[in-house]
Amino acid sequence: MERFSIFAACAVLTLLSLVALIWSPWFALPLAIFGALTVVGIYDVMQDSHAILRNYPVIGHMRFLFEGIRPEIRQYLIESDQDEEPFSRDKRSIIYQRAKGVEDKRPFGTRQRVYDAGYEWITHSITPKHLTEHDFRVRIGGPDCAKPYDASIYNISAMSFGALSANAISALNKGAQKGNFAHDTGEGGISRYHRAGGGDLIYEIGSGFFGCRTHEGRFDAEKFAAQAADDQVKLIELKLSQGAKPGHGGMLPASKISPEIAEARDIPIGQDCVSPAANPEFSTPKELMEFIGTLRRHASGKPVGFKMCIGHRRKFMCLVKAMLETQIVPDFIVIDGKEGGTGAAPLEFANHIGMPLIEGLTFAHNTLRGAGLRDRIKIGASGKLVTSFDIAKALALGADWANSARGFMFAVGCIQAQACHTNHCPVGVATQDPMRQRALNVVDKAERVYRFHKNTLKALAEMTGAAGLSHPREFLPHHLLMREGDRNMVTGEEVYPYLPDGFLLRDEADDFGYANRWKRARASSFEPFDIGP
């Protein structure tokens, strides 16, 4: 009967408090407390949904209390500075410090375990350079683009209005405008808060075609042309998949669709809003390239590209073969790593679907090199890129620029509460609750977004100069060293080499399986081409 001892004690104390009221009215307080606990205990014994409460009335609620505050207890008291849950305290701290413009230096040496497998570093030069500028740019736009865009090499990755609050979107865009870098709208369309900030926009179009859709949810060329003509829009990005949940669609229930969300997405209020897993406008590689061509014809001469997380590698090669056959070549491709974040994703998708950024990036980079297209297509990279080393590594392995979503979320005030899907974000970033988001000061947070970008690129300039380089685009795989085992180290060039230009077109063998996949890929279908035994 020990299981019921707390419940019994509450009942006894309730009776004693009731009797004690004869001597003093002050016993009304313990009567109320113990009486409420006794009522809770009676309910626990009678209910049949939770076995632990039925066996441990009253005290069993402690289990749910501790489970509820477990993330906070772990984050603030238990996890080390290097534990990634999913971002380590070390990385969060450097973002906060750079966003606030306070001291970001560290005393007493590194806390990294430099002799453990997986440790990475950049080789430095005996003759370092001092770089006075850190506003690094990359021109995006191939020969078919009339209005190329000189983008920062570090921009805000896709996050939709609806997933983020109005104040968060406003702060991000105002910060981007001040720092002269780009803000990806996410697939939720261009909201009034994107427009009010005046910052450069990357208009992302997903399978729901928000902002450029017919009433049936198909692509509307006239609406798209009107959106693309906006001077704020600098790039058009067709989303094929995202790293956090590739191959998975989405549905925004009618209860969450506010007038402002309906306005941005061009959808009716009172109906569920569906983003299908597969884009309804194409089903073959050639059809996808033809759709890219359609977007280009209506994009007012602006760069058009697509974003994807690499899945079946052969299917990416199908796209590349379609580029060669149709001669419709996108201006850019953004490779999203599976370590990318989202407001909500099924656990199995977040953990086990999609290719991590490094492997996806190097594969896309080398496939384009092998097909002779790398010089015509710029590559962006996204997926947990929040420090200057992260950016330098991505550039060394084939990217032309980097995007970050959660890095800028931290800059705007995110504390990694991981309540994005509950509408209860404690700092007003990932919520549509007007009372919660009003706590986010747009002017102050916009300044933090600007400073985070500026100080991160300033740190990248220092790292670039230390390597003896004049621009981050000069980083190559041989500038990276990695500890493969507890004693052995390898260069990035050994693990992630740049393969020869045009080797796939010359039918050359390789040690990484590219040639065999290339032979099985075809432009007319995503299905494999049977090359026989």
Side-chain angles (χ1 to χ4, degrees), residues 241-459:
S241 59
Q242 68 180 97
K245 49 178 180 180
H248 193 280
M251 193 270 287
L252 186 65
S255 60
K256 292 187 177 181
I257 300 176
S258 67
E260 291 174 326
I261 292 175
E263 174 190 72
R265 299 193 177 204
D266 190 21
I267 56 175
I269 295 177
Q271 296 181 22
D272 294 339
C273 175
V274 177
S275 298
N279 195 301
E281 297 299 322
F282 51 82
S283 60
T284 69
K286 280 188 176 180
E287 288 177 358
L288 172 53
M289 289 306 117
E290 289 164 0
F291 187 65
I292 293 284
T294 299
L295 294 176
R296 180 171 279 152
R297 288 192 297 274
H298 295 86
S300 300
K302 297 174 182 179
V304 177
F306 60 84
K307 178 180 87 171
M308 69 181 300
C309 176
I310 298 291
H312 293 304
R313 287 169 287 180
R314 175 187 50 77
K315 293 191 176 183
F316 179 79
M317 288 182 163
C318 290
L319 298 182
V320 177
K321 280 197 170 181
M323 295 175 199
L324 294 173
E325 290 195 20
T326 63
Q327 285 302 297
I328 300 172
V329 180
D331 297 294
F332 67 91
I333 299 173
V334 175
I335 301 298
D336 198 15
K338 70 110 26 324
E339 61 268 46
T342 187
L347 181 64
E348 295 85 357
F349 275 75
N351 287 345
H352 301 294
I353 300 288
M355 188 175 290
L357 173 61
I358 297 305
E359 287 76 14
L361 172 61
T362 54
F363 177 78
H365 170 68
N366 279 322
T367 298
L368 293 175
R369 283 176 64 86
L373 294 174
R374 183 63 182 88
D375 291 339
R376 295 180 60 182
I377 301 174
K378 292 295 190 294
I379 297 181
S382 59
K384 294 186 77 172
L385 305 178
V386 299
T387 69
S388 59
F389 174 77
D390 296 333
I391 300 170
K393 180 179 177 181
L395 298 180
L397 298 183
D400 293 294
W401 84 91
N403 294 333
S404 177
R406 286 168 293 178
F408 285 98
M409 281 181 67
F410 288 131
V412 90
C414 170
I415 61 171
Q416 196 171 267
Q418 300 183 63
C420 311
H421 60 299
T422 67
N423 204 35
H424 296 153
C425 173
V427 291
V429 175
T431 181
Q432 295 303 303
D433 184 330
M435 292 302 294
R436 288 178 178 271
Q437 66 173 295
R438 70 184 292 273
L440 195 157
N441 184 305
V442 172
V443 175
D444 174 63
K445 302 305 184 185
E447 188 68 20
R448 292 192 183 194
V449 169
Y450 160 71
R451 283 196 296 255
F452 168 62
H453 178 269
K454 181 186 72 172
N455 290 329
T456 300
L457 290 192
K458 184 178 178 182

Side-chain angles (χ1 to χ4, degrees), residues 70-71 74-75 78-95 111-113 117-120 338-340 350-351 356 358 383-387 389-390 393 406 410 415-416 418:
R70 180 182 181 275
R74 177 176 176 80
Q75 181 177 152
I78 297 174
E79 73 179 38
S80 76
D81 289 342
Q82 284 76 45
D83 285 345
E84 296 189 357
E85 296 285 340
F87 281 82
S88 69
R89 178 166 292 278
D90 265 355
K91 286 198 171 182
R92 299 199 308 273
S93 295
I94 201 73
I95 295 169
R111 286 182 273 188
Q112 298 284 321
R113 301 176 68 88
Y119 177 72
E120 300 171 315
K338 70 110 26 324
E339 61 268 46
N351 287 345
I358 297 305
K384 294 186 77 172
L385 305 178
V386 299
T387 69
F389 174 77
D390 296 333
K393 180 179 177 181
R406 286 168 293 178
F410 288 131
I415 61 171
Q416 196 171 267
Q418 300 183 63

Side-chain angles (χ1 to χ4, degrees), residues 62-81:
M62 296 296 291
R63 183 257 186 191
F64 298 99
L65 171 65
F66 286 122
E67 186 178 63
I69 63 173
R70 180 182 181 275
E72 289 79 10
I73 293 294
R74 177 176 176 80
Q75 181 177 152
Y76 294 116
L77 299 178
I78 297 174
E79 73 179 38
S80 76
D81 289 342

Side-chain angles (χ1 to χ4, degrees), residues 124-289:
H124 66 280
S125 173
I126 201 169
T127 54
K129 296 182 178 181
H130 175 66
L131 305 187
T132 57
E133 294 293 328
H134 57 264
D135 184 24
F136 303 117
R137 298 271 149 187
V138 56
R139 173 155 290 196
I140 304 172
D144 298 317
C145 176
K147 297 179 182 177
Y149 176 53
D150 291 325
S152 169
I153 64 168
Y154 195 44
N155 302 288
I156 302 173
S157 196
M159 293 180 286
S160 300
F161 169 60
L164 298 193
S165 69
N167 283 13
I169 293 291
S170 296
L172 289 169
N173 197 258
K174 289 179 184 292
Q177 191 278 330
K178 184 173 182 179
N180 194 22
F181 54 99
H183 179 191
D184 195 312
T185 64
E187 66 175 305
I190 305 174
S191 72
R192 63 179 70 176
Y193 304 104
H194 290 100
R195 300 186 192 279
D200 291 349
L201 294 176
I202 302 169
Y203 178 29
E204 183 179 89
I205 303 168
S207 58
F209 301 110
F210 299 126
C212 59
R213 59 188 267 129
T214 65
H215 294 303
E216 294 76 29
R218 300 297 294 270
F219 176 68
D220 188 311
E222 290 185 7
K223 289 182 179 179
F224 167 72
Q227 296 276 29
D230 190 328
D231 287 340
Q232 256 184 283
V233 175
K234 303 300 182 183
L235 301 176
I236 309 298
E237 179 183 274
L238 178 64
K239 173 190 167 184
L240 303 183
S241 59
Q242 68 180 97
K245 49 178 180 180
H248 193 280
M251 193 270 287
L252 186 65
S255 60
K256 292 187 177 181
I257 300 176
S258 67
E260 291 174 326
I261 292 175
E263 174 190 72
R265 299 193 177 204
D266 190 21
I267 56 175
I269 295 177
Q271 296 181 22
D272 294 339
C273 175
V274 177
S275 298
N279 195 301
E281 297 299 322
F282 51 82
S283 60
T284 69
K286 280 188 176 180
E287 288 177 358
L288 172 53
M289 289 306 117

